[in-house]
Amino acid sequence: MFFIKKLHHTIQLHPAFFTQNFETYLTEKLYKDVEGTCTGRFGYVIAVLDTNETLEISQGKVIPSVGLAEFEVAYRAIVFKPFKGEVVDGVVSQVNKMGFFADVGPLQIFVSSHLIPQDLKFDPAKNPPCYANNSEDSYAVIEKGTHVRIKIVGTRFDATDIFAIGTIKDDFCGVVTGS
Amino acid sequence: MSEGISRIKRQYPPEEEDASRLKFNEEFKNGTVSEFSCLSLSEVAIMLEQTKLGNPENHGAIVDKMIDYCKTYRTFKDKETVQEIRRTLNKYELHEYEVSQLINLIPGSVEEALSYIPSLRSKFSNEKINEIIEDVNELKKYQG
């Protein structure tokens, strides 16, 4: 789920950049440092919403004996964090006999074969390998590129990464038909 | 001897999070709809389009993946429709998370909605939920 969060970041500025537009440099540095990172606490930081003018930069403090100036920056960003119990749409990226992996943006969700309905069986002979319904109307096939709706049943957070597992056994979850 | 100094151990996550019961951890606790800090996919897609036009080269892999994901799964294409749907859903006492999920998933029936968002069950009667779903689907049809 996406949220807008107010976050803080400390940036150190080399004296070479103590010019009129040091704020521009700080903004660029902030974008580079923070966008695309992931923490267990806030999830993936997708985009910083503040620009040069709206960014809250504290008064810089020069670090003794080093000469760098340290700034505390407060900014708003779009973050993405998965929660247990959340239903999300994703694209299947890998299929094997243990289950399949689906990508929800940068997050990978693993759906174990135990949490896939019984009538979908793993077919290793097919190319590409997939989970298919063995009856005549095999409209529900799970292979790389299939769109699926997954309910997240568990998440685990590292310092810099998120892992999630999900199920498609629930009602209204599974392969998404149509555009 | 003074008592020992103990480190404050923070666990990831600090308490049991469960979106189906609307239990979010410290960082994301805010109940009122007016704060709007929870966003739906369509809104994120619109915001990313606006902000990212500036510096497309500086995107890392993660941001690119997210942009692609949002473009593929967004349910509403334009800003006015999304604002309209926010206004419509404001009439009901919904948690932000519920509003965003309704916009993302567009359930077609009451069972579907309850399957995606179980917390609705205790808050509203089935007729009310049906009303909410019809409003959402109306706007979805309207935007084509």
Side-chain angles (χ1 to χ4, degrees), chain A residues 23-153:
Chain A
E23 282 163 350
T24 315
Y25 180 75
L26 280 177
T27 319
E28 290 301 317
K29 187 108 194 344
L30 178 69
Y31 290 161
K32 247 198 305 208
D33 276 354
V34 137
E35 277 181 356
T37 58
C38 172
T39 58
R41 205 163 149 208
F42 300 111
Y44 292 95
V45 177
I46 307 295
V48 174
L49 294 173
D50 287 315
T51 59
N52 237 337
E53 290 87 39
T54 58
L55 207 50
E56 262 175 51
I57 307 178
S58 71
Q59 272 212 324
K61 179 162 185 242
V62 176
I63 305 173
S65 87
V66 180
L68 298 170
E70 203 170 71
F71 294 86
E72 268 283 330
V73 183
Y75 61 100
R76 287 172 314 149
I78 302 180
V79 297
F80 174 69
K81 186 168 186 211
F83 286 94
K84 169 181 156 188
E86 191 182 332
V87 177
V88 291
D89 287 324
V91 178
V92 176
S93 57
Q94 256 182 295
V95 180
N96 60 43
K97 71 175 196 303
M98 308 293 293
F100 67 84
F101 285 93
D103 283 344
V104 174
L107 172 74
Q108 237 192 9
I109 305 186
F110 177 64
V111 181
S112 142
S113 52
H114 299 291
L115 294 174
I116 299 178
Q118 309 287 34
D119 54 352
L120 283 172
K121 299 213 178 19
F122 182 60
D123 196 346
K126 280 249 182 66
N127 187 21
C130 63
Y131 279 84
N133 216 323
N134 277 333
S135 64
E136 294 84 48
D137 46 290
S138 49
Y139 57 91
V141 169
I142 298 186
E143 57 183 7
K144 181 166 173 192
T146 313
H147 294 280
V148 286
R149 198 158 263 195
I150 303 173
K151 178 178 252 180
I152 299 179
V153 291

Side-chain angles (χ1 to χ4, degrees), chain B residues 5-110:
Chain B
I5 303 168
S6 59
R7 257 182 327 135
I8 302 171
K9 283 201 201 130
R10 180 195 280 141
Q11 315 150 296
Y12 292 112
E15 55 187 57
E16 192 52 43
E17 302 177 322
D18 192 348
S20 55
R21 288 179 292 142
L22 296 181
K23 282 197 81 194
F24 300 99
N25 66 347
E26 270 319 305
E27 316 295 348
F28 299 105
K29 254 194 199 134
N30 41 30
T32 62
V33 181
S34 57
E35 289 203 21
F36 276 137
S37 72
C38 187
L39 299 174
S40 66
L41 259 171
S42 320
E43 288 160 323
V44 174
I46 295 169
M47 287 172 112
L48 285 178
E49 274 169 0
Q50 288 179 342
T51 62
K52 286 312 162 186
L53 287 177
N55 48 350
E57 282 78 42
N58 297 346
H59 297 165
I62 289 188
V63 181
D64 274 337
K65 280 192 199 161
M66 204 40 124
I67 295 181
D68 284 334
Y69 176 73
C70 289
K71 284 207 185 131
T72 319
Y73 288 107
R74 68 196 301 182
T75 43
F76 291 94
K77 296 271 167 8
D78 51 49
K79 203 163 147 189
E80 288 76 28
T81 326
V82 177
Q83 284 172 335
E84 186 57 43
I85 199 172
R86 278 267 171 193
R87 267 196 294 267
T88 317
L89 291 176
N90 248 341
K91 294 188 305 202
Y92 308 100
E93 294 218 349
L94 290 162
H95 189 277
E96 297 184 290
Y97 168 78
E98 291 168 342
V99 175
S100 298
Q101 282 290 65
L102 281 167
I103 302 179
N104 283 346
L105 301 170
I106 310 202
S109 63
V110 178

